[in-house]
């Protein structure tokens, strides 16, 4: 690796470490023995939503990021500078899953593909790729957010 790229990674890691994180617990009623729960960082401002999970080198298996918007609509996402493959889950105002894009891959160079749900959503949950399949997370399941 060249020196500038290493320096970039170091400063990015420091920035991520000093950025305050608000953790909540989000649980999904998967209709099996127990709910599937994640500790989520809340992205509820334009600045936090723009940053999202960009430049993260890893995400613990039981963690995710919950994007909260002011209005319910078809919020489009992309993976520019997101270094972790993700599952993207759109949730409506009734706290029901309305769409899922599984195993969405990273993107480093423009143009990056975009991902738009089929229905309107008020929230978007990003978790590690493959977990929606592993935990049988599906459309119309109910979400509970515990603060």
């Amino acid at each position: 690796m060249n020196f500038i790229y290493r320096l970039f990674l170091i400063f990015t890691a420091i920035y991520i470490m000093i950025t305050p994180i608000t953790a909540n617990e989000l649980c999904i009623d998967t209709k099996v023995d127990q709910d599937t729960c994640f500790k989520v960082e809340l992205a509820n401002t334009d600045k936090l939503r723009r940053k999202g999970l960009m430049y993260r080198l890893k995400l613990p298996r039981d963690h995710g990021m919950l994007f909260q918007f002011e209005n319910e609509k078809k919020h489009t996402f992309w993976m520019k500078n997101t270094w972790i493959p993700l599952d993207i889950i759109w949730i409506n105002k009734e706290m029901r899953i309305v769409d899922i894009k599984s195993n969405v891959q990273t993107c480093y160079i423009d143009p990056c593909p975009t991902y738009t749900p089929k229905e309107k959503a008020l929230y978007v949950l990003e978790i590690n790729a493959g977990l929606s399949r592993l935990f049988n997370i599906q459309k119309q399941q109910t979400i509970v957010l515990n603060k």
Side-chain angles (χ1 to χ4, degrees), residues 133-147:
R133 183 174 185 189
L134 178 68
F135 294 122
N136 198 30
I137 298 170
Q138 300 175 13
K139 289 183 191 179
Q140 296 306 312
Q141 290 175 334
T142 305
I143 304 295
V144 176
L145 182 62
N146 304 314
K147 297 184 179 188

Side-chain angles (χ1 to χ4, degrees), residues 76-79 101 112-116:
T76 298
F77 276 64
W78 70 342
M79 296 290 287
K101 300 291 187 221
C112 291
T114 58
Y115 304 91
T116 304

Side-chain angles (χ1 to χ4, degrees), residues 71-109:
N71 299 307
E72 190 174 50
K73 67 179 195 177
K74 294 182 179 181
H75 298 284
T76 298
F77 276 64
W78 70 342
M79 296 290 287
K80 178 72 176 182
N81 296 321
T82 304
W83 299 347
I84 310 163
L86 299 170
D87 289 349
I88 305 174
I89 302 168
W90 285 267
I91 304 160
N92 68 13
K93 64 184 176 188
E94 285 85 26
M95 301 305 284
R96 292 209 177 269
I97 296 174
V98 295
D99 206 353
I100 301 172
K101 300 291 187 221
S102 299
N103 201 27
V104 177
Q105 294 301 303
T106 60
C107 180
Y108 305 104
I109 301 170

Side-chain angles (χ1 to χ4, degrees), residues 16-121:
I16 290 168
M17 287 188 292
I18 64 172
T19 301
I21 295 172
T22 304
N24 295 294
E25 183 181 64
L26 179 144
C27 297
I28 303 169
D29 181 4
T30 56
K31 308 293 184 207
V32 292
D33 293 342
Q34 66 183 56
D35 293 347
T36 299
C37 297
F38 298 94
K39 293 176 185 78
V40 294
E41 298 171 43
L42 189 58
N44 58 0
T45 66
D46 285 337
K47 181 179 178 182
L48 291 172
R49 286 189 294 261
R50 275 193 305 274
K51 179 182 169 197
L53 290 172
M54 290 172 62
Y55 307 110
R56 301 280 181 100
L57 299 176
K58 63 181 180 174
L59 181 66
R61 181 177 171 170
D62 65 339
H63 284 61
M65 179 167 279
L66 182 67
F67 296 80
Q68 180 181 11
F69 296 92
E70 288 80 28
N71 299 307
E72 190 174 50
K73 67 179 195 177
K74 294 182 179 181
H75 298 284
T76 298
F77 276 64
W78 70 342
M79 296 290 287
K80 178 72 176 182
N81 296 321
T82 304
W83 299 347
I84 310 163
L86 299 170
D87 289 349
I88 305 174
I89 302 168
W90 285 267
I91 304 160
N92 68 13
K93 64 184 176 188
E94 285 85 26
M95 301 305 284
R96 292 209 177 269
I97 296 174
V98 295
D99 206 353
I100 301 172
K101 300 291 187 221
S102 299
N103 201 27
V104 177
Q105 294 301 303
T106 60
C107 180
Y108 305 104
I109 301 170
D110 285 329
C112 291
T114 58
Y115 304 91
T116 304
K118 295 177 183 166
E119 296 181 41
K120 293 179 181 178

Side-chain angles (χ1 to χ4, degrees), residues 118-137:
K118 295 177 183 166
E119 296 181 41
K120 293 179 181 178
L122 188 60
Y123 305 93
V124 179
L125 173 64
E126 291 183 339
I127 56 176
N128 282 300
L131 292 183
S132 59
R133 183 174 185 189
L134 178 68
F135 294 122
N136 198 30
I137 298 170

